Amino acid sequence: MSQYYSTIVPVLLQVSGRPDNEYSARASAYEALSTLVTYSARDTMPIVQNIASEVVSRLESTISMQSQVTTTEDKGNLEELQTNILALLTNVIRKLGADVIGAADNLMERFLNLLGAQEANSLIEEDILISISALSSAIGENFMNYMPAFIPYLTKSLENVESPTCLTATGLVGDLAQNLGLQLGEYLNGLMTILGNNLNNPDVKRELRPVIVSAFGDVASAIGPAFEPYLEYVMNICTAAASIEPEDHSIETTDYIFNLRESVLDCFVGITAGFGEQPEKLYPVVGSILQYIQKVSQDPALSTSESVARSATGLLGDIAAMYPQGQFKAYYEEQWVTDYIKRTRSNGLFDEKTKDAARWAREQQKRQQQIPGLLG
């Protein structure tokens, strides 16, 4: 397919550059370009870089157009164009990876300018944050250079709980933690406070809560033992979230409770991973984590979910490996552990990765059971 890029891409760029979107031609051209970028081979990287240069230029031109639109139709047309440009640019950034570092200053300047030009609850704020997330993943710790300028926009998005953008911003906190690690420290207290306030806000949209809980786990796994000051607070949040019962039996409520309980498990996975090198600091809360895994194993919906089963059995194995002296041997001698691992391993609908997690858990369980007594 590579040999056709030099012919196809210029045509698509021309079509995507038209001033209108009649018959969705412009949007379709952007989608086609995004697909070509996603599946491009190494020998087409110069063409991908040319696409990047062109769409960055187009993005810049749309910023100056913000103040010129006067009608609802014009505004909708501009937002549709910006959404298409940002989606393509996000794919380009992901494809180029670390090679995008040379253009990072230019990209971030455009993203910040675009954020600054938006009205409250703009439809494209979410798309901008997704592009910024892609950039932070691509350049890693180098993204720290942009945090002073970006943090006011991120804070504003997190505090705007009525906007769908808050959901994306919450996920971005986890992404930034993974990409920046301990460097995020100077901003962490403020971000954790906002997330905690959002979680405790009775008026917040409930679909936001699982995303917040998962974000806590992402932060924990990224900064490791430095998460200790937040450990008790987050464990209390997880305990409260896990105890929420459905108010009704609607599909929406059932899905919400499932997602919330799975997010608690994800958070525990992140916390456990973060304290892997210092298990003594995790020790006080391990019992609560194991008790939650037991609750998961007995829940018909959760225990038969592959993603949940993989995380839960993997976590059983990880905790056992962290405490080889048998501090939690009694838990691993309980029948529910054996039964849950066996059910996961024998489930014909689960893939090998999930069954490998169960095998790992079984191996570690056996080691725990073979410990003659609590050592040390």
Side-chain angles (χ1 to χ4, degrees), residues 164-363:
T165 305
C166 184
L167 204 68
T168 305
T170 301
L172 181 53
V173 172
D175 294 340
L176 290 173
Q178 294 292 323
N179 299 328
L180 298 176
L182 291 173
Q183 288 194 63
L184 189 62
E186 63 181 285
Y187 303 105
L188 199 53
N189 278 337
L191 294 173
M192 292 289 286
T193 298
I194 296 172
L195 292 179
N197 290 341
N198 288 351
L199 199 62
N200 294 323
N201 184 344
D203 298 323
V204 77
K205 295 178 180 178
R206 63 184 186 181
E207 60 263 30
L208 184 60
R209 291 193 171 92
V211 182
I212 294 174
V213 174
S214 293
F216 286 148
D218 291 336
V219 172
S221 67
I223 68 173
F227 191 77
E228 187 177 13
Y230 311 104
L231 182 58
E232 182 179 359
Y233 172 68
V234 171
M235 286 298 299
N236 289 337
I237 285 174
C238 287
T239 300
S243 65
I244 293 177
E245 296 294 334
E247 299 174 354
D248 55 61
H249 298 290
S250 67
I251 294 176
E252 292 79 9
T253 297
T254 301
D255 287 345
Y256 163 65
I257 295 296
F258 179 93
N259 291 334
L260 185 61
R261 291 175 178 172
E262 183 174 19
S263 73
V264 170
L265 180 63
D266 290 340
C267 186
F268 287 160
V269 169
I271 289 172
T272 302
F275 287 92
E277 298 300 320
Q278 296 186 26
E280 70 280 0
K281 292 185 176 180
L282 185 68
Y283 182 88
V285 303
V286 170
S288 297
I289 294 175
L290 290 170
Q291 288 168 13
Y292 185 69
I293 299 175
Q294 180 179 9
K295 180 178 179 180
V296 166
S297 74
Q298 296 167 348
D299 184 300
L302 288 168
S303 64
T304 54
S305 162
E306 180 162 18
S307 61
V308 171
R310 184 185 304 167
S311 296
T313 54
L315 188 53
L316 279 171
D318 292 344
I319 290 174
M322 286 173 66
Y323 300 95
Q325 293 183 314
Q327 293 95 322
F328 297 97
K329 176 184 175 182
Y331 283 97
Y332 289 89
E333 292 178 328
E334 294 180 9
Q335 188 61 39
W336 71 266
V337 176
T338 303
D339 292 344
Y340 186 40
I341 293 173
K342 185 181 295 185
R343 290 203 313 271
T344 302
R345 288 178 62 183
S346 62
N347 191 316
L349 299 177
F350 290 171
D351 65 23
E352 282 304 308
K353 287 185 178 180
T354 304
K355 293 178 180 179
D356 284 344
R359 293 186 189 102
W360 160 251
R362 178 56 179 157
E363 177 186 331

Side-chain angles (χ1 to χ4, degrees), residues 7-312:
T7 302
I8 297 173
V9 168
V11 175
L12 289 174
L13 283 173
Q14 182 179 1
V15 175
S16 65
R18 60 188 295 173
D20 63 79
N21 190 32
E22 189 174 5
Y23 303 115
S24 298
R26 184 174 67 189
S28 297
Y30 273 109
E31 289 175 9
L33 284 167
S34 290
T35 301
L36 288 173
V37 167
T38 299
Y39 295 102
S40 58
R42 173 56 61 178
D43 59 354
T44 63
M45 284 304 102
I47 297 176
V48 172
Q49 290 170 344
N50 288 338
I51 294 174
S53 298
E54 174 62 24
V55 293
V56 168
S57 175
R58 291 182 185 181
L59 185 63
E60 174 69 19
S61 67
T62 67
I63 297 174
S64 61
M65 294 167 60
Q66 292 270 156
S67 59
Q68 300 174 16
V69 293
T70 55
T71 68
T72 302
E73 182 180 354
D74 287 344
K75 182 180 178 182
N77 187 50
L78 179 60
E79 287 181 337
E80 177 269 331
L81 174 59
Q82 289 174 328
T83 295
N84 288 327
I85 291 174
L86 288 165
L88 174 55
L89 198 50
T90 297
N91 275 359
V92 170
I93 292 169
R94 288 171 177 162
K95 191 65 181 183
L96 293 177
D99 291 340
V100 81
I101 185 67
D105 286 354
N106 189 20
L107 286 168
M108 201 60 194
E109 181 181 356
R110 301 297 179 273
F111 294 150
L112 293 175
N113 287 343
L114 195 55
L115 281 172
Q118 300 310 304
E119 298 177 356
N121 298 323
S122 166
L123 294 177
I124 70 159
E125 282 184 353
E126 187 174 0
D127 299 295
I128 302 169
L129 293 183
I130 291 172
S131 293
I132 290 174
S133 175
L135 182 62
S136 73
S137 296
I139 65 175
E141 293 183 353
N142 291 299
F143 190 81
M144 196 65 193
N145 297 329
Y146 311 114
M147 283 300 294
F150 176 54
I151 197 69
Y153 295 104
L154 178 59
T155 299
K156 181 180 177 182
S157 295
L158 288 171
E159 291 176 339
N160 187 9
V161 294
E162 297 298 319
S163 171
T165 305
C166 184
L167 204 68
T168 305
T170 301
L172 181 53
V173 172
D175 294 340
L176 290 173
Q178 294 292 323
N179 299 328
L180 298 176
L182 291 173
Q183 288 194 63
L184 189 62
E186 63 181 285
Y187 303 105
L188 199 53
N189 278 337
L191 294 173
M192 292 289 286
T193 298
I194 296 172
L195 292 179
N197 290 341
N198 288 351
L199 199 62
N200 294 323
N201 184 344
D203 298 323
V204 77
K205 295 178 180 178
R206 63 184 186 181
E207 60 263 30
L208 184 60
R209 291 193 171 92
V211 182
I212 294 174
V213 174
S214 293
F216 286 148
D218 291 336
V219 172
S221 67
I223 68 173
F227 191 77
E228 187 177 13
Y230 311 104
L231 182 58
E232 182 179 359
Y233 172 68
V234 171
M235 286 298 299
N236 289 337
I237 285 174
C238 287
T239 300
S243 65
I244 293 177
E245 296 294 334
E247 299 174 354
D248 55 61
H249 298 290
S250 67
I251 294 176
E252 292 79 9
T253 297
T254 301
D255 287 345
Y256 163 65
I257 295 296
F258 179 93
N259 291 334
L260 185 61
R261 291 175 178 172
E262 183 174 19
S263 73
V264 170
L265 180 63
D266 290 340
C267 186
F268 287 160
V269 169
I271 289 172
T272 302
F275 287 92
E277 298 300 320
Q278 296 186 26
E280 70 280 0
K281 292 185 176 180
L282 185 68
Y283 182 88
V285 303
V286 170
S288 297
I289 294 175
L290 290 170
Q291 288 168 13
Y292 185 69
I293 299 175
Q294 180 179 9
K295 180 178 179 180
V296 166
S297 74
Q298 296 167 348
D299 184 300
L302 288 168
S303 64
T304 54
S305 162
E306 180 162 18
S307 61
V308 171
R310 184 185 304 167
S311 296

